[in-house]
Amino acid sequence: MHNHIMKSVFVILFSLIFTANIQAQTAPGAKGKISGKVTDASTKLPVDYATVSIFKQGAASPFNGMSTDPKGNFSISNIPAGEYKVTAEFLGYQKAIIEHVIVKEGATLSLGEIKLAPTANELKGVTITAKVPTVENRIDKMVYNPQNDLSAQGGVAIDVLKKVPQITVDIDGNVELQGNANIRFLINGKPSSIFGASLADALASIPASQIKSIEVITSPGAKYDAAGTGGIVNIILKDSKVQGINGSFNLSAGTRRENGSFNLNARKGNFGVNAFFSGNAQINTNAPYTRNRVSTNGQGDQTTFFQQGSNNFKRNGYESGINFNWDISKHDNLTAGVGFNHFGNHGNGITNEDSRIVSASGAFISDTADIRNSSSKFNGRSTDVSLAYKKTFDKEGQELDILYTESFGNNSFSSSQVQDYLNGVKPSTGISNNNPGKDRETNISVDYTHPISKKVTIETGGKLDFNHINNNVVTDTLATDGGFNLDPRQTYGFTYNRKIYAYYLSGSASLFNSFLDVKAGLRDEYTTTKADFQNVNIPNYNILVPSLVFSHKFGSNGSQSVKLSYTRRIQRPDYGDLNPFLNISDPHNINTGNPNLKPEKGDNFELGYNKSFDKGANINIAAFYRHNTDDIQQFTTYYDSLQVNGRVYRGVSFNQRYNIGSEDRQGINIYASVPITGKLNLRTNMIFSNRRSTNPGFATVNAFAYRINLNAQYSFGHDLSAEFFGNYNSSQRGIQGTNPKFVFYNIAMRKMFWDKKASIGLTATNPFAKYVSQRSSTFGSNFYATNERLVPVQSFGISLSYKFGKLEFKKDREKGDDNRDNNGGDNGPGQDRGK
C-alpha cells in the first residue's frame, strides 16, 4: 500500500514540476531583484524590522515585501521586469516612497540607502494599527491572526480555534486538525503540562485577548517534535519589544462566561520585561440529559436501563507570568520566563435511573429504580520555567539556539456518588474517590542553523525530553452506617517515566533559479518508558521521522503557489490516556486510562494551492491523505457484571482507550477570503473528508464528515464594525456509533474610540435557542445505547479593552534580534522551535 502511495506521490510531483517547467519556459523572461538598506535619517543607524513593500505602479495593495534584517538590509527576489513603486516604513517614522522603479529582466537593482525621517512630534500614546492579514500561508504552516476577530473578543482560546483553517471544534471543546484529534499543542513554541491534564479546560482558560496568533502546522519539519499525528498547533501570546512602557486591559462579562486580562510591557535600551495576568470563569449552567441502553447477557436476558437527569457545571481558571529579554550584545540574546496556570471545574447532578430485566422468552424478571446524586471536581495547576540563549553571527542567517524548559503540573480529580433505591428494595450504595497526580516535563534543546549560500541552508540539533508522572488513587465506599470507609482494594499508586532522546538534520534550498523551494529533513527519536503499575511493560522503541516539502511560486508577481509535503508523525499517549484511575462517578458508565498504550504512528501527505489577488482576496486549497497505524481510539465494552479490584458492579459500560487497527483519511480543506466591497469582507473555511477505519474483529467503517463556516465582517466607518460567524459540523460514524452534529453561530459589534486606544464590544452566541441538542449512539455485540444532551450555549456579553503607554523611538539599532521571517511577521518568542 505504501509503495502504491509513494508512486502516486512521485507521479504528482513529476507532473507538478513538468507543468511548472512549461510555465517557466513560457514566462516573459528571467526575474529581477530589488535590494537596499533602510537607515535613520538623523542617527544614520540602520532601521531593523522596517517594512519594505513593492507595488505595481498605480496599484493600491503591495504584491511583495519583507522586513529589513538587524543591519537594515533587504533583498526581494522573483520580481518580473516592469515599473514599480517601493515604500519603506516603521512605527515612529515618516513613510518613504520611491516612485517609478524600473526592474529589468534578470537584473539586480540596488536602491542604496533609504532614509527614514522620524516623526516631528513624540507620540504620547500608543496605537499600533498595522494591517495584518487574517490568514498567512507559509511554506510549512498557516498562521491565523485574530486581531480583528470580533465574535471571539470576549471569549477564550477555544472560541478562536473555531475559526482557524483546517481545525474543527465540537461542542465539548474537543479539537481536530484535518480530522485528527491527536494534536501537539504548544504555547510560544514550548510544551506545557497545562495541556496534559485536561486539554479542554486549558483551552478554556486562555482569554482570546491574550492571543497574538495561532499557527497550524500540518506537516512539521525535522526541527519539530515528532509528537502529534494530526500536526502541531502553536498558540502565540502577545508581547511587545517596543521601547518605553505600554500595556492593555481587557474585561468581558456575559451570561455564560466572564474574563479579564492585563498586560504590561516595559523596555529600556537592551532590556525588556513583559508581565501578564488573566482570569476567567464559566458561570454555572444546567445541562439536562437522557440515556437509554438495551443489553443482553449470556443467558439471553434483556436489560433496559434508562437514565434521566441534569448536571450543573462551572469552570474557572487563571494564568499569569513574567518574561525577561536581554540583548547582551549585538550577537547575544537571553530570554527567561516563568508562568503560572490554574484551572478547574466542578459538576454535580441528580439522575433518575430505572433498570428493567426480562428473560429471553419475554417473561418479567425485575424492575429496579433509584436516584443517584453525584459530584465531581477537577483542579489543575502548572508552573512553566524557560531559559533561552540565542547567538547570531556576522554571517546573515547563521544562528545558535539553546533552550531549557521545565513544566511542573499538579492535578487532582475527585468524585462521589450515592444511589438511593426507591421503596427500600436495596440498601444505599456509594463511592468516593480522589486522584491526585503530578506531571513534570524537562526539555533541553540545542539548534544550529548554517547558511551554505544565499540559497542553501542546513539545520541540525538535538533534544532531551524527560517526563515523569506520579499518580495516586484513594477510594472510599459507603458503609451501612452512612459514612465512607477506605477501600484498600481500590487504593494504589502509579509512577510513569518516559525519556526521549532526539537528533535531527535538515536542509532547505532554492533550486533552478528560485523556481523550486525544497525543505527536507530527518529526525531520530529514541524513547524509553518505565511504569510500576501491575502487568505494564512498555518496550523501548526508536522512530525515524522523515519530512519533505516542495514549494513553487508562479503566476503574475508570484501570486500563486503550490506545495507538496510528506511527514511521518507519532502520537504518544498522554497523562489522561495512561492514567489507570477508574472514574466511577457513574457506576454504570466507568471511564479509565490504559497504561499499556503504544504510540500511534502516522504518514501524512498534503498537496496545497494558494492564490492571492490584487484587491486582497485569497484562496487556499489543501488536499490531504493520512494513514495511521496502532490508532488510539476509545472503545466501550458492556459488562452485565464487572469485578473491579474486588468490588462487583452491575450493568456497566466500560470505556477505555486502545490501539485499534488502522485509519485512513482523505480530504480537502478550502479557505477563501474575499473583500466584496471596501466595507464588507467574507471568509469561509470548509473541510470535507472521509475516514476509513480497519479494525481486526470489526467491520470496516467508512465515514464521511464535513465542516463549513462563514465569517462576514462589515465596517460602518467611524471605527464601528460588525461581524457574523456561523459554523456547522456534520455528524460522523465511528467504529461503535455516531457522533453528533454541531451548529454554532454568533453576532458581534465593536466600537473603537480615543484614537483606537479603547473599544467596547457586544456579542451574542446562539441567541435564538437556549440549548443545542446533541444526539449520539454507541453499540457493541451485546448492547445498543442512545444518548441525548441539551447543552446550554446561548449567551450575551459585553467586552471592554484599553491600550495605554508611551513609546520612545530611540531604539538601539545595534541589537541582533532577528526573530522574524521574510514575510515581515513577528514570530513571537521561540515560535519556530516547535519544541
Side-chain angles (χ1 to χ4, degrees), residues 293 587-590 637-640 642 649-654:
R293 184 182 65 209
H588 297 285
N589 293 278
I590 298 177
T637 306
Y638 174 76
Y639 294 95
D640 189 56
L642 176 65
Y649 295 90
R650 304 285 181 184
V652 176
S653 290
F654 190 76

Side-chain angles (χ1 to χ4, degrees), residues 30-48:
K31 303 288 180 68
K33 180 187 296 186
I34 294 178
S35 64
K37 183 173 184 177
V38 179
T39 61
D40 186 310
S42 300
T43 65
K44 313 301 182 185
L45 293 172
V47 179
D48 54 338

Side-chain angles (χ1 to χ4, degrees), residues 434 617 690 781:
N434 187 38
N690 186 75
S781 60

Side-chain angles (χ1 to χ4, degrees), residues 287-586:
Y289 63 87
T290 59
R291 300 188 187 109
N292 192 66
R293 184 182 65 209
V294 179
S295 56
T296 306
N297 65 13
Q299 291 74 44
D301 299 335
Q302 187 180 82
T303 300
T304 301
F305 181 64
F306 180 75
Q307 294 177 301
Q308 184 176 43
S310 64
N311 188 57
N312 293 294
F313 184 83
K314 56 185 177 182
R315 174 184 277 136
N316 63 80
Y318 71 82
E319 57 174 7
S320 64
I322 186 167
N323 299 289
F324 304 92
N325 185 287
W326 181 24
D327 292 317
I328 303 171
S329 70
K330 177 181 178 180
H331 290 301
D332 301 277
N333 173 264
L334 190 67
T335 59
V338 58
F340 304 96
N341 305 285
H342 170 269
F343 51 85
N345 63 61
H346 180 72
N348 64 81
I350 299 177
T351 307
N352 293 290
E353 302 179 328
D354 184 83
S355 180
R356 180 180 175 86
I357 305 175
V358 297
S359 67
S361 62
F364 172 80
I365 296 178
S366 67
D367 191 350
T368 306
D370 67 83
I371 297 177
R372 180 169 55 85
N373 286 271
S374 60
S375 176
S376 65
K377 183 178 291 186
F378 172 79
N379 279 291
R381 299 188 303 276
S382 73
T383 301
D384 300 328
V385 179
S386 67
L387 182 65
Y389 168 71
K390 174 188 289 188
K391 183 171 184 62
T392 57
F393 302 84
D394 288 333
K395 188 173 186 178
E396 182 182 347
Q398 187 179 3
E399 182 178 305
L400 173 68
D401 292 278
I402 302 173
L403 174 66
Y404 157 79
T405 65
E406 191 95 32
S407 187
F408 306 87
N410 200 326
N411 313 293
S412 176
F413 178 82
S414 61
S415 67
S416 65
Q417 58 85 23
V418 175
Q419 289 177 268
D420 296 310
Y421 293 89
L422 301 185
N423 303 320
V425 296
K426 291 183 181 180
S428 296
T429 62
I431 192 169
S432 173
N433 46 28
N434 187 38
N435 174 219
K438 294 183 178 181
D439 183 2
R440 178 176 179 177
E441 185 169 2
T442 305
N443 290 269
I444 301 173
S445 62
V446 178
D447 301 289
Y448 176 67
T449 303
H450 188 85
I452 302 297
S453 67
K454 287 188 175 181
K455 294 188 176 182
V456 179
T457 300
I458 61 170
E459 294 178 289
T460 187
K463 181 181 179 183
L464 302 176
D465 184 343
F466 299 156
N467 190 216
H468 174 80
I469 296 174
N470 184 40
N471 186 276
N472 294 288
V473 176
V474 179
T475 304
D476 300 318
T477 55
L478 184 66
T480 54
D481 61 3
F484 282 89
N485 297 329
L486 180 68
D487 186 344
R489 295 171 300 181
Q490 299 190 62
T491 299
Y492 49 87
F494 168 61
T495 301
Y496 180 91
N497 282 286
R498 183 180 66 204
K499 296 181 179 180
I500 304 170
Y501 306 87
Y503 172 76
Y504 73 90
L505 178 66
S506 69
S508 57
S510 182
L511 306 177
F512 313 123
N513 195 25
S514 301
F515 173 78
L516 188 69
D517 293 321
V518 180
K519 192 170 187 177
L522 183 66
R523 185 180 184 91
D524 183 87
E525 293 191 349
Y526 181 73
T527 305
T528 66
T529 308
K530 292 183 179 180
D532 67 353
F533 200 67
Q534 60 186 32
N535 302 320
V536 174
N537 182 24
I538 304 172
N540 300 338
Y541 57 91
N542 190 76
I543 182 169
L544 287 173
V545 185
S547 60
L548 183 62
V549 180
F550 297 96
S551 178
H552 168 62
K553 287 185 177 181
F554 61 100
S556 175
N557 305 324
S559 60
Q560 301 179 68
S561 65
V562 290
K563 180 180 74 172
L564 178 66
S565 66
Y566 162 75
T567 184
R568 176 169 292 163
R569 310 288 298 163
I570 66 172
Q571 177 65 29
R572 296 182 182 89
D574 62 18
Y575 181 97
D577 297 323
L578 298 163
N579 189 351
F581 167 68
L582 291 162
N583 180 357
I584 315 179
S585 54
D586 179 356

Side-chain angles (χ1 to χ4, degrees), residues 140-216:
D140 60 346
K141 61 194 167 192
M142 294 190 76
V143 183
Y144 180 81
N145 299 296
Q147 286 91 331
N148 295 313
D149 190 343
L150 304 189
S151 57
Q153 57 194 327
V156 291
I158 203 69
D159 299 308
V160 181
L161 282 166
K162 291 174 183 175
K163 297 186 174 184
V164 176
Q166 309 194 66
I167 284 182
T168 56
V169 181
D170 71 12
I171 200 165
D172 297 311
N174 300 308
V175 183
E176 290 185 342
L177 176 53
Q178 291 185 345
N180 192 320
N182 294 325
I183 304 169
R184 173 71 156 168
F185 275 90
L186 305 171
I187 294 181
N188 291 335
K190 305 178 184 72
S192 173
S193 58
I194 188 176
F195 293 125
S198 175
L199 180 60
D201 282 297
L203 294 175
S205 71
I206 304 173
S209 58
Q210 288 288 109
I211 298 174
K212 179 178 181 179
S213 62
I214 294 181
E215 300 178 342
V216 177

